[in-house]
C-alpha cells in the first residue's frame, strides 16, 4: 500500500475524500501518534490511525454493501454531521447503521431544497462529486429580475466568477411573468453556490432553488420533504458505472414481486410520510435547541414538480 491517506480512509468508509481532507487540514487525523498532514501517504495498512482520538481501520471494508439513499432535503437543514448551535442537519432523519456510515454526495445550501444523495461508499461519493466526471445536476430555480435572451445566452456561453468561468449546460424557461420567472437549469459541477452566483452575475436574484436531478436519478414526486428512499441494485450500479466503478452484487432491499406492486408502493410512501411526521413531532416537543417551523408543517407539497422530466439536451 502506498496511497494518499484521505483516499485510503474514504475507501474504508470513514467519509468522502473531501470530508477527510478537511479533517486532516484541521489536525484531527493522526498516524501512529503523529498528526497527519494533507498529502501524506499511507504505506502500512496496519498503522494506527485515529480520527478525533478514536482508532479507525484503514482496511477497505469490502464486506460492506454499497447502498445509496435519495433524500428530499427541506430548506433550513444544514449539510453537516453536527451543528454546535443544535440546528437540524440532513443526517438527523437518515436510518441508523452498524459498521458503516452515510456519506453525503456533495452539499446543498441551507436555503436550497431537493435531491441529496447519500452512500456507504466513500469512493463512489468522491467520484460523483469530482468535476472531472461531469455528472449533471438539474435545478428548478425561481428568479427575480429583468431577464432577456442576451442574459440567458451569457449564462450558457459562460461568465467569469471569482473562482473561474462557469456556465449552465442548459436553461429552459418553465413559466412566470413580469420580474418573476422559473427555469430548469443544468450544471455539471458542484461549486459553492454556483447556480445563485451565475444568476447574480446577470443582476438577478434567486428566490427559490431546488435540485431535482443528479445524473439520471430524479427526485421522486411521491417523496415528501424530509423523506428518504433507498435505490435498488440497478440504480446503484447505474451510478457506479457512471464513474467507472465495478458493479455491486448485493442489495439489502427485498427484490420480490410484492415490492413492485401498487399496494406495496403505496404502503412504503405512507410509512415514509408517517416517519417524517413523527420526526417533526419529536423535534418540536423535545426542545433540544432545534426550532420547528409550524408554517412549514402545515402544508406538505408534492415532492417533485419534475419527477418524470427527461434530460434537456
Amino acid at each position: 500500500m502506498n496511497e494518499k491517506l484521505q483516499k485510503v480512509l474514504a475507501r474504508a468508509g470513514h467519509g468522502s475524500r473531501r470530508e477527510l481532507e478537511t479533517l486532516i487540514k484541521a489536525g484531527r487525523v493522526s498516524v501512529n501518534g503523529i498528526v497527519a498532514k494533507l498529502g501524506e501517504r499511507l504505506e502500512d495498512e496496519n498503522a494506527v490511525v485515529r480520527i478525533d482520538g478514536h482508532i479507525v481501520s484503514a482496511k477497505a471494508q469490502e464486506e460492506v454493501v454499497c447502498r445509496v439513499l435519495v433524500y428530499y432535503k427541506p430548506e433550513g437543514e444544514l449539510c453537516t454531521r453536527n451543528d454546535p448551535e443544535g440546528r437540524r442537519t440532513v443526517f438527523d432523519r437518515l436510518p441508523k447503521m452498524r459498521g458503516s456510515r452515510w456519506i453525503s454526495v456533495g452539499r446543498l445550501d441551507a436555503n436550497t431544497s431537493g435531491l441529496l444523495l447519500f452512500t456507504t461508499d466513500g469512493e463512489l461519493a468522491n467520484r460523483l462529486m469530482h468535476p472531472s466526471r461531469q455528472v449533471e445536476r438539474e435545478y428548478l430555480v425561481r428568479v427575480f429580475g429583468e431577464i432577456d435572451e442576451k442574459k440567458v445566452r451569457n449564462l450558457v456561453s459562460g461568465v467569469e466568477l471569482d473562482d473561474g468561468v462557469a456556465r449552465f449546460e442548459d436553461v429552459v424557461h418553465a413559466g412566470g411573468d413580469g420580474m418573476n420567472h422559473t427555469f430548469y437549469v443544468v450544471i455539471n459541477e458542484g461549486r459553492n453556490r454556483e447556480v445563485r452566483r451565475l444568476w447574480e452575475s446577470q443582476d438577478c436574484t434567486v428566490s427559490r432553488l431546488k435540485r431535482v436531478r443528479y445524473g439520471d436519478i430524479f427526485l421522486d414526486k411521491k417523496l415528501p420533504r424530509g423523506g428518504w428512499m433507498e435505490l435498488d441494485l440497478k440504480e446503484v450500479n447505474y451510478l457506479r458505472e457512471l464513474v467507472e466503478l465495478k458493479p455491486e452484487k448485493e442489495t439489502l432491499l427485498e427484490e420480490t414481486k410484492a415490492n413492485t406492486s401498487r399496494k406495496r408502493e403505496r404502503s412504503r410512501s405512507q410509512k415514509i410520510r408517517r416517519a417524517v411526521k413523527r420526526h417533526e413531532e419529536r423535534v418540536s416537543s423535545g426542545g433540544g435547541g432545534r426550532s420547528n417551523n409550524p408554517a412549514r408543517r402545515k402544508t406538505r407539497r408534492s415532492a417533485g414538480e419534475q419527477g418524470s422530466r427527461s434530460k434537456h439536451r
Side-chain angles (χ1 to χ4, degrees), residues 28 78-87 89 91-92 290:
R28 296 165 60 184
L78 305 180
C79 289
T80 183
R81 291 189 184 274
N82 297 289
D83 178 64
E85 298 179 23
R87 292 170 294 182
T89 81
F91 291 91
D92 290 344
R290 286 181 179 155

Side-chain angles (χ1 to χ4, degrees), residues 5-26 29 38 51 101 103 122:
L5 181 58
Q6 64 266 29
K7 182 176 181 180
V8 174
L9 293 177
R11 190 168 58 242
H14 299 299
S16 69
R17 285 195 214 173
R18 186 176 299 177
E19 289 176 326
L20 291 162
E21 285 174 359
T22 301
L23 293 179
I24 294 171
K25 286 179 181 178
V29 181
L38 190 61
I51 298 177
R101 67 192 310 203
I103 301 165

Side-chain angles (χ1 to χ4, degrees), residues 225 280 292-301:
R225 284 179 298 172
E280 295 283 351
N292 209 15
N293 187 341
R296 192 180 297 155
R297 292 203 308 273
K298 280 184 181 178
T299 306
R300 265 182 209 273
R301 298 176 184 171

Side-chain angles (χ1 to χ4, degrees), residues 12-15 61 63-69 81 91-104 118-122 228 230 252:
H14 299 299
Q61 297 180 322
E63 70 277 6
V64 175
V65 175
C66 176
R67 301 170 64 186
V68 180
L69 294 184
R81 291 189 184 274
F91 291 91
D92 290 344
R93 309 181 202 244
L94 301 186
K96 306 301 180 185
M97 292 187 296
R98 289 185 178 181
S100 189
R101 67 192 310 203
W102 293 115
I103 301 165
S104 173
F118 291 87
T119 179
T120 55
D121 189 327
W228 57 267
E230 186 163 353
L252 299 185

Side-chain angles (χ1 to χ4, degrees), residues 27-287:
R28 296 165 60 184
V29 181
S30 67
V31 179
N32 293 330
I34 301 174
V35 176
K37 295 181 180 179
L38 190 61
E40 183 172 329
R41 306 183 78 85
L42 192 67
E43 299 181 1
D44 181 8
E45 67 177 14
N46 295 313
V48 179
V49 180
R50 286 184 171 88
I51 298 177
D52 291 333
H54 302 288
I55 296 177
V56 297
S57 174
K59 295 181 180 179
Q61 297 180 322
E62 296 179 358
E63 70 277 6
V64 175
V65 175
C66 176
R67 301 170 64 186
V68 180
L69 294 184
V70 170
Y71 178 64
Y72 187 171
K73 177 192 175 298
E75 292 181 359
E77 286 189 350
L78 305 180
C79 289
T80 183
R81 291 189 184 274
N82 297 289
D83 178 64
E85 298 179 23
R87 292 170 294 182
R88 289 190 189 181
T89 81
V90 294
F91 291 91
D92 290 344
R93 309 181 202 244
L94 301 186
K96 306 301 180 185
M97 292 187 296
R98 289 185 178 181
S100 189
R101 67 192 310 203
W102 293 115
I103 301 165
S104 173
V105 180
R107 295 169 171 263
L108 292 176
D109 295 336
N111 294 329
T112 301
S113 65
L115 185 154
L116 191 59
L117 295 179
F118 291 87
T119 179
T120 55
D121 189 327
E123 184 62 21
L124 175 62
N126 180 71
R127 293 195 186 193
L128 286 171
M129 290 186 284
H130 202 280
S132 66
R133 298 292 172 175
Q134 301 283 289
V135 180
E136 290 187 347
R137 292 93 153 156
E138 184 173 3
Y139 293 81
L140 176 66
V141 54
R142 187 168 63 202
V143 180
F144 178 80
E146 294 282 356
I147 301 173
D148 53 31
E149 287 296 325
K150 181 180 178 181
K151 289 185 177 181
V152 173
R153 285 197 299 270
N154 289 342
L155 292 169
V156 173
S157 61
V159 297
E160 186 72 37
L161 301 179
D162 292 341
D163 52 357
V165 177
R167 60 185 290 269
F168 289 133
E169 296 297 313
D170 196 12
V171 178
V172 175
H173 188 254
D177 51 33
M179 298 286 281
N180 291 286
H181 292 268
T182 301
F183 294 86
Y184 284 100
V185 299
V186 177
I187 58 175
N188 56 19
E189 57 182 352
R191 290 193 234 171
N192 184 41
R193 299 183 69 256
E194 185 173 4
V195 174
R196 295 179 187 274
R197 289 190 294 141
L198 276 166
W199 284 108
E200 287 169 1
S201 74
Q202 304 303 303
D203 298 319
C204 297
T205 302
V206 172
S207 57
R208 185 190 178 204
L209 185 60
K210 175 180 176 182
R211 185 192 282 165
V212 295
R213 176 168 66 87
Y214 201 109
D216 275 351
I217 304 298
F218 288 88
L219 184 64
D220 195 316
K221 62 182 179 180
K222 298 176 184 176
L223 196 62
R225 284 179 298 172
W228 57 267
M229 60 185 295
E230 186 163 353
L231 298 185
D232 61 28
L233 187 58
K234 180 179 179 181
E235 292 168 312
V236 169
N237 281 332
Y238 154 72
L239 291 173
R240 295 182 68 84
E241 182 181 358
L242 190 64
V243 294
E244 299 177 306
L245 285 175
K246 294 180 180 179
E248 175 60 74
K249 298 179 180 179
E250 300 180 56
T251 178
L252 299 185
L253 292 176
E254 295 179 11
E255 299 294 338
T256 65
K257 290 183 179 180
N259 274 352
T260 60
S261 70
R262 236 181 240 183
K263 182 177 179 181
R264 179 75 177 187
E265 190 68 29
R266 188 164 55 248
S267 173
R268 185 177 70 164
S269 180
Q270 289 171 349
K271 286 180 180 178
I272 292 173
R273 290 182 181 276
R274 284 198 296 268
V276 171
K277 185 177 180 181
R278 284 197 299 271
H279 179 83
E280 295 283 351
E281 292 171 347
R282 194 161 56 243
V283 171
S284 61
S285 63

